[in-house]
Amino acid sequence: MTPLVRTRAGEAVAEHILGLLFDGTLRSGDRIDLDAVAAALEVSRAPVREGLAQLERDGLVSLPHYRGAFVAAFDAGTVREAFELYGMLSALTSSRAAVSTDAGLRETLDKLVEALTGCEQVDEFERLAREFRKVVNLAAAGPHLRALLRTFSGLVPVAARFAIEDAMDDERAALRREHAALVAGDPAAAAVASLDHVSMTAENAVRALRRRGVFPAGPEPAPVPGERDRMLGIVAAMTRGDRA
């Protein structure tokens, strides 16, 4: 294995540990062997600590003082919570983008959706879907919101890949609904389409992880009454604040 460039090493450590979580090698409460991680990636302890710090910010790793590193709670609720937060931020950027007057934004999104239409390769589909979200975020999010969105660079994209692998047609249809609302210039519809898309991705990811034995099989929790409407209400209030 070629040794990693230092600037990427911390991110690679986080990705490696996420891979161990998502294939069931590591589970809630397990101690993480830092020396084994460093040896597997041919890095020193410094980038291992950097990667663990990133995962601690995501709530996936616990770093008790002088006691090593442990996997924090990692279950369907962990995935759903991350996607709920990400979904609200995505709904906010989508609602803002819908009222953008930038013709280049529409043109770029048109091309991405056209490319997604005939795409059947998971890697390429994932790349295009991420680019769609990135284009919307860059067009509509200010520096603070972009910084918040970057904190979802770990768990959310890794889990989303499971949804793409198992439900690519659902993902494609959801992106088309988002695109239609954005092109129509309808901020409320764009927020709904984005939030519903991210929620759907979370559920597909959870189901995929259950099928792979990473999460135990069990009854699905009943939806919290009115939760979706409350989240959309918050997004709508923030959007109104933008226009005030």
Side-chain angles (χ1 to χ4, degrees):
M1 178 184 293
T2 302
L4 292 163
V5 177
R6 174 61 189 271
T7 54
R8 281 275 300 135
E11 293 177 12
V13 168
E15 291 171 3
H16 177 73
I17 294 173
L18 280 168
L20 298 177
L21 284 171
F22 278 86
D23 69 11
T25 301
L26 286 175
R27 297 183 182 272
S28 296
D30 285 353
R31 187 184 188 97
I32 301 171
D33 188 333
L34 307 188
D35 291 329
V37 172
L41 298 178
E42 298 184 17
V43 298
S44 68
R45 275 294 192 98
V48 172
R49 287 193 293 270
E50 291 170 8
L52 289 171
Q54 177 184 323
L55 294 175
E56 185 183 33
R57 289 193 296 270
D58 288 344
L60 297 175
V61 167
S62 173
L63 300 172
H65 197 48
Y66 295 122
R67 290 179 52 204
F70 298 84
V71 179
F74 180 63
D75 54 19
T78 307
V79 173
R80 288 189 175 106
E81 182 180 59
F83 274 86
E84 283 173 2
L85 295 171
Y86 182 68
M88 289 187 66
L89 296 179
S90 297
L92 179 58
T93 57
S94 291
S95 65
R96 289 178 176 179
V99 296
S100 170
T101 58
D102 182 0
L105 171 62
R106 303 292 194 276
E107 182 180 351
T108 301
L109 294 178
D110 288 347
K111 290 178 180 177
L112 287 169
V113 168
E114 182 179 358
L116 281 162
T117 297
C119 182
E120 297 296 337
Q121 298 298 318
V122 171
D123 288 345
E124 180 63 5
F125 191 100
E126 182 179 33
R127 184 189 71 79
L128 291 168
R130 283 197 192 189
E131 184 65 18
F132 183 100
R133 190 70 61 206
K134 179 181 177 182
V135 167
V136 172
N137 289 343
L138 288 176
H144 292 94
L145 183 50
R146 289 180 193 175
L148 279 173
L149 287 163
R150 283 195 295 272
T151 66
F152 292 91
S153 61
L155 186 154
V156 166
V158 174
R161 183 179 175 87
F162 284 86
I164 292 172
E165 289 177 352
D166 281 21
M168 186 182 290
D169 287 341
D170 288 347
E171 289 291 317
R172 193 185 340 263
L175 282 164
R176 285 177 181 154
R177 286 191 290 272
E178 284 195 63
H179 175 251
L182 288 164
V183 170
D186 187 334
V192 169
S194 180
L195 183 64
D196 286 349
H197 179 187
V198 175
S199 298
M200 180 201 74
T201 299
E203 294 309 313
N204 284 338
V206 167
R207 280 191 284 271
L209 289 164
R210 289 194 196 282
R211 284 195 292 274
R212 288 162 170 78
V214 177
F215 294 159
E220 294 294 337
V224 178
E227 183 68 12
R228 175 176 176 270
D229 289 340
R230 279 192 289 272
M231 288 192 287
L232 288 170
I234 293 171
V235 172
M238 294 179 73
T239 304
R240 286 193 297 271
D242 289 340
R243 297 174 193 160

